[in-house]
């Protein structure tokens, strides 16, 4: 799990309750990753840290008590971006995630380009200006903002993504880009489930004290549980 926070905020502490809730609701172990953040550590530090963490988890699966072939990547907002970046950045000859769990992911560094960014320019909770400012701190060089490790919407080889779940918040400036990413994955032949929670703002998985936010976050966890479920055993001949 890679936490959100626009690549500049967030920590293992800010998302601890979300991770505990996810573990309980999805019936899985959650490895929370504390990656280095901007502006001190600009792009591509965060995605490199997260890729290293995934490789470490695969290599230490026995120590963690998990099946190395049943490790998913996921996160919220910037964390969803990093999860997709990890899945797409691994080489074809190394183990990849079995599932991607992307909660209102940022997938295009050009935040203002999308209709939802204009519709919800003032929020709630996340404004268009704040979202763009965070991205700009992470990638101060404008040339990096179309790098497919950041703007994963424009990555080639999207068919390398595992089965993917994309949840979007209906009142979120980055809603439309997340939904466009789900469409591009579907066009690439990836198994995709897209779910929009119409009355939710950006950050709903951190608002678990609110009953509706708890309900919809639990719904995303149910999808994660299905994504992690081991495939049915193949009967042996004889």
């Amino acid at each position: 799990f890679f936490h959100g926070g626009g690549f500049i905020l967030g920590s293992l502490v800010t998302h601890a309750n979300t991770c505990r809730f996810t573990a309980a609701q999805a019936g899985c172990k959650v490895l929370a990753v504390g990656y280095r953040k901007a502006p001190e550590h600009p792009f591509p530090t965060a995605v490199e840290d997260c890729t290293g963490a995934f490789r470490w988890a695969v290599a230490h699966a026995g120590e963690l008590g998990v099946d190395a072939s049943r490790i998913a990547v996921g996160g919220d907002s910037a964390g969803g971006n990093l999860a997709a970046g990890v899945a797409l950045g691994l080489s074809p000859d190394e183990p990849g995630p079995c599932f991607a769990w992307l909660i209102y992911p940022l997938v295009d560094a050009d935040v203002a380009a999308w209709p939802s960014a204009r519709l919800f320019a003032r929020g709630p909770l996340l404004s268009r200006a704040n979202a763009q400012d965070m991205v700009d701190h992470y990638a101060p060089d404008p040339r990096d903002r179309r790098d497919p490790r950041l703007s994963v919407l424009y990555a080639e080889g999207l068919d390398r993504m595992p089965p993917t779940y994309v949840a979007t918040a209906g009142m979120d400036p980055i809603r439309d880009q997340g939904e466009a990413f789900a469409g591009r994955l579907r066009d690439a032949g990836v198994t995709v489930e897209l779910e929009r929670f119409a009355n939710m703002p950006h950050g709903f998985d951190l608002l678990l004290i609110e009953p509706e936010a708890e309900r919809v976050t639990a719904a995303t966890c149910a999808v994660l549980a299905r994504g992690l479920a081991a495939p049915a055993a193949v009967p042996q001949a004889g």
Side-chain angles (χ1 to χ4, degrees):
F1 179 88
F2 311 119
H3 66 77
F7 308 102
I8 65 172
L9 301 172
S11 69
L12 300 181
V13 175
T14 62
H15 285 65
N17 285 340
T18 299
C19 288
R20 294 188 189 102
F21 185 84
T22 300
Q25 292 290 320
C28 66
K29 294 186 175 183
V30 175
L31 179 63
V33 176
Y35 54 88
R36 290 172 291 175
K37 295 186 287 293
E40 293 83 1
H41 302 285
F43 172 83
T45 301
V47 70
E48 290 175 346
D49 284 356
C50 293
T51 302
F54 178 80
R55 289 173 173 146
W56 182 91
V58 171
H60 292 80
E63 178 184 335
L64 296 170
V66 300
D67 180 349
S69 69
R70 306 303 302 169
I71 300 176
V73 288
D76 60 336
S77 193
N81 173 279
L82 294 168
V86 169
L88 291 167
L90 296 165
S91 64
D93 60 346
E94 61 183 325
C98 69
F99 191 70
W101 187 63
L102 312 182
I103 309 302
Y104 46 84
L106 177 123
V107 295
D108 182 3
D110 188 0
V111 173
W114 298 88
S116 59
R118 296 186 288 276
L119 186 61
F120 301 106
R122 296 188 178 183
L125 298 186
L126 178 70
S127 71
R128 178 181 67 194
N130 285 343
Q132 190 65 64
D133 188 57
M134 291 175 181
V135 171
D136 293 350
H137 276 83
Y138 180 49
D141 185 340
R143 293 171 297 182
D144 287 337
R145 296 173 199 165
R146 287 302 291 264
D147 190 304
R149 293 172 295 172
L150 173 55
S151 291
V152 293
L153 178 66
Y154 306 108
E156 296 182 0
L158 289 177
D159 59 330
R160 292 184 286 113
M161 283 289 290
T164 299
Y165 173 67
V166 179
T168 61
M171 300 183 293
D172 184 353
I174 65 170
R175 178 194 69 194
D176 291 352
Q177 58 171 273
E179 294 178 0
F181 186 59
R184 284 210 65 203
L185 292 178
R186 190 174 292 115
D187 291 344
V190 177
T191 300
V192 179
E193 182 175 349
L194 170 64
E195 191 165 16
R196 178 194 288 187
F197 297 103
N199 296 323
M200 285 290 106
H202 189 93
F204 65 73
D205 68 324
L206 299 175
L207 305 176
L208 298 176
I209 194 171
E210 200 281 318
E212 184 65 6
E214 180 183 7
R215 183 191 70 79
V216 301
T217 304
T220 72
C221 293
V223 180
L224 176 62
R226 295 199 303 269
L228 285 169
V234 178
Q236 298 298 310

